[in-house]
């Protein structure tokens, strides 16, 4: 993920074109627990109540596990362009134990991969265990399972369940459908793939050219999983119905976003509300019953390209946004407007990864508080912090 002159707000991509596929599952280095590069040791800034560490590569995604009893597990992904005569893209996934009650922030697993653009834990469905989907720079979609180590004890690791090359283009974003039976993938050529995941097998069931340029967002509607929303560098925001073939365009808005669409998030509580983030620095609130314009046309300007948006797992209408050149923001959304409640600017580089930790903190840490993980790109910094705003007090 390198910046390009034509991307005024700092695009996570590079100038070298797509590299050849490399790093098959059999030859990737796996590091056992507690062995890591020296620069990645965790330490605590006690005056700010923040834990932090430096990763081994450019940090672009962090995701807390959604499944009980693994809410303490945080996955962090990296993407680093190795320039030269034969440029390559390398990456890694690191797993951390984040337990503020115990004062614990520890790396316990790491695996080297090719460059990773996006990761996503599977939703909680029945007795299906936690799985982590990975979008690769080499055109692969991979699915890992979180498992106990074979040597016994309580230690955990990731085991690759399946990996499949789904495109000659790069896989830029990934999302699970609510039943975990399929995965949407946005591609660097503007296409979107819908990949079935059944009996530990991946199969591309639909793929179509959805946009003219890189497709940074491809998200299932969590209330109507037959719908997929897409957003791209072509400034278009689209919705597709999977029931009637890949070319059934439900709507497409090409007038509102002034720059590329980076992220899309459907409200977990209101089936009619959806958020988009753009390089034009605006977080926009949409009512999908009237998609011609945002609910509030001015939306809310966050002062940096809105790369990622995450709804709070418990507090209605509260979102966490990664704002690229302007750190991170906590925003309160109501039916007509959005208001910035808190900003976090302790990172020194492009703000890309952000997520809320599920589960409740005890009174030992801070009464009724939420925990946030954020990461930034060039400085390779991962931060764990507790928001101060009263808006994130858990109900």
């Amino acid at each position: 993920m390198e910046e390009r002159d034509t991307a005024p707000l700092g695009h996570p991509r590079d100038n070298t074109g797509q590299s050849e596929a490399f790093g098959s599952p059999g030859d990737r280095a796996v590091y056992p627990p507690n062995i890591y590069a020296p620069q990645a040791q965790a330490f605590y800034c006690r005056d700010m109540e923040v834990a932090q560490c430096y990763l081994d590569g450019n940090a672009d995604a962090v995701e807390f596990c959604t499944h009980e009893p693994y809410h303490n597990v945080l996955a962090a992904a990296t993407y680093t362009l190795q320039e030269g005569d034969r440029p390559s893209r390398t990456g890694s996934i690191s797993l951390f134990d984040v337990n503020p009650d115990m004062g614990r922030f520890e790396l316990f697993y790491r695996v080297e991969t090719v460059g990773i653009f996006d990761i996503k834990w599977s939703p909680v469905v029945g007795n299906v265990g936690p799985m982590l989907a990975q979008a690769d720079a080499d055109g692969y979609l991979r699915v890992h399972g979180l498992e106990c180590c074979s040597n016994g004890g309580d230690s955990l690791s990731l085991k690759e369940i399946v990996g499949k090359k789904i495109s000659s283009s790069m896989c830029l974003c990934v999302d699970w459908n609510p039943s975990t039976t399929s995965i949407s993938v946005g591609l660097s050529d503007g296409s979107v793939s819908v990949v079935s995941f059944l009996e530990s097998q991946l199969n591309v069931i639909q793929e179509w050219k959805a946009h003219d340029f890189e497709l940074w967002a491809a998200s299932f509607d969590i209330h109507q999983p037959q719908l997929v929303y897409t957003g791209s560098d072509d400034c278009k925001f689209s919705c597709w119905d999977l029931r009637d073939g890949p070319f059934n365009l439900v709507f497409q808005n090409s007038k509102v976003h002034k720059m590329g669409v980076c992220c899309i998030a459907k409200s977990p509580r209101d089936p009619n509300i959806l958020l988009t983030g753009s390089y034009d620095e605006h977080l926009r609130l949409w009512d999908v019953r009237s998609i011609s314009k945002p609910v509030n046309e001015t939306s809310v300007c966050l002062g940096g390209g809105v790369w990622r948006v995450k709804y709070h797992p418990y507090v209605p209408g509260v979102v966490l946004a990664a704002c690229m050149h302007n750190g991170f923001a906590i925003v309160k959304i109501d039916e007509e407007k959005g208001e910035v409640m808190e900003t976090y600017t302790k990172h020194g580089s492009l703000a890309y990864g952000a997520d809320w930790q599920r589960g409740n903190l005890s009174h030992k840490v801070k009464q009724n508080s939420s925990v946030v993980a954020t990461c930034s790109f060039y400085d390779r910094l991962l931060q764990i912090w507790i928001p101060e705003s009263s808006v994130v007090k858990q109900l």
Side-chain angles (χ1 to χ4, degrees):
M1 289 188 180
E2 297 290 317
E3 293 184 82
R4 190 169 79 174
D5 292 340
T6 57
L9 294 180
H11 246 157
R13 55 186 174 177
D14 52 66
N15 293 315
T16 60
Q18 184 176 346
S19 61
E20 295 179 356
F22 59 95
S24 63
D27 59 19
R28 288 180 291 161
V30 176
Y31 291 79
N34 301 321
I35 297 178
Y36 204 53
Q39 70 269 23
Q41 298 301 318
F43 60 93
Y44 286 82
C45 304
R46 295 178 182 176
D47 57 333
M48 297 162 49
E49 296 183 324
V50 172
Q52 61 178 213
C53 75
Y54 292 94
L55 301 178
D56 61 314
N58 297 336
D60 60 358
V62 289
E63 295 280 328
F64 276 108
C65 187
T66 52
H67 293 246
E68 291 275 13
Y70 306 111
H71 290 161
N72 61 304
V73 175
L74 173 70
T78 66
Y79 171 105
T80 303
L81 174 67
Q82 307 289 344
E83 298 187 274
D85 294 336
R86 299 187 64 184
S88 63
R89 299 170 178 85
T90 61
S92 65
I93 298 176
S94 300
L95 297 183
F96 293 87
D97 180 359
V98 181
N99 190 326
D101 285 347
M102 304 291 292
R104 188 165 65 238
F105 176 51
E106 297 177 353
L107 173 88
F108 64 87
Y109 179 82
R110 174 175 169 260
V111 59
E112 289 186 351
T113 70
V114 299
I116 296 174
F117 283 97
D118 196 17
I119 53 174
K120 192 68 61 67
W121 288 103
S122 59
V124 178
V125 179
N127 295 322
V128 179
M131 296 176 291
L132 187 69
Q134 167 188 336
D136 273 355
D138 65 354
Y140 274 77
L141 172 64
R142 304 182 192 275
V143 177
H144 309 267
L146 183 66
E147 299 183 354
C148 293
C149 291
S150 57
N151 57 3
D154 297 328
S155 58
L156 298 170
S157 66
L158 286 177
K159 179 180 180 181
E160 185 170 307
I161 299 172
V162 62
K164 185 180 181 69
K165 187 174 180 66
I166 64 169
S167 177
S168 59
S169 298
M170 294 185 287
C171 297
L172 303 182
C173 60
V174 63
D175 191 37
W176 293 85
N177 79 342
S179 64
T180 71
T181 56
S182 63
I183 301 170
S184 60
V185 183
L187 302 173
S188 59
D189 67 354
S191 298
V192 57
S193 286
V194 177
V195 184
S196 67
F197 179 66
L198 298 170
E199 298 180 348
S200 300
Q201 297 295 317
L202 295 172
N203 291 289
V204 177
I205 54 177
Q206 297 185 52
E207 183 172 314
W208 67 99
K209 182 76 170 179
H211 292 269
D212 298 326
F213 302 116
E214 286 90 339
L215 199 152
W216 296 112
S219 302
F220 282 99
D221 187 316
I222 57 178
H223 305 288
Q224 302 179 79
Q226 75 276 10
L227 301 180
V228 171
Y229 301 98
T230 58
S232 165
D233 270 0
D234 60 10
C235 305
K236 296 176 182 177
F237 163 47
S238 306
C239 177
W240 311 85
D241 193 327
L242 302 180
R243 294 172 298 183
D244 301 321
F247 302 106
N248 183 14
L249 180 63
V250 178
F251 67 77
Q252 185 172 84
N253 186 293
S254 59
K255 297 179 180 180
V256 171
H257 300 95
K258 307 306 179 185
M259 294 182 182
V261 180
C262 306
C263 58
I264 299 169
K266 192 71 182 289
S267 169
R269 290 175 173 83
D270 189 334
N272 298 315
I273 297 301
L274 179 147
L275 300 175
T276 60
S278 171
Y279 288 117
D280 66 14
E281 304 186 355
H282 282 79
L283 176 68
R284 290 179 171 86
L285 174 66
W286 302 81
D287 188 324
V288 294
R289 295 169 298 184
S290 177
I291 207 68
S292 60
K293 62 180 181 180
V295 171
N296 179 348
E297 287 192 75
T298 59
S299 301
V300 55
C301 181
L302 299 184
V306 184
W307 180 254
R308 201 176 297 273
V309 174
K310 296 288 186 67
Y311 272 94
H312 194 286
Y314 310 117
V315 184
V318 173
V319 298
L320 172 67
C323 307
M324 298 182 72
H325 289 280
N326 198 37
F328 299 86
I330 293 173
V331 183
K332 175 64 176 175
I333 301 289
D334 62 25
E335 293 181 355
E336 296 182 355
K337 64 179 181 179
E339 181 182 1
V340 177
M341 306 303 296
E342 184 175 346
T343 58
Y344 185 80
T345 58
K346 302 300 182 182
H347 290 264
S349 182
L350 292 173
Y352 277 146
D355 200 15
W356 305 95
Q357 187 175 33
R358 281 77 176 163
N360 296 315
L361 291 177
S362 75
H363 296 271
K364 296 179 183 178
V365 180
K366 188 176 288 187
Q367 186 174 4
N368 297 325
S369 293
S370 298
V371 174
V372 167
T374 52
C375 70
S376 44
F377 195 63
Y378 291 113
D379 60 2
R380 305 183 173 191
L381 180 61
L382 168 64
Q383 294 266 28
I384 309 296
W385 51 281
I386 298 173
E388 298 178 352
S389 173
S390 60
V391 75
V392 297
K393 299 301 183 185
Q394 296 178 2
L395 301 179

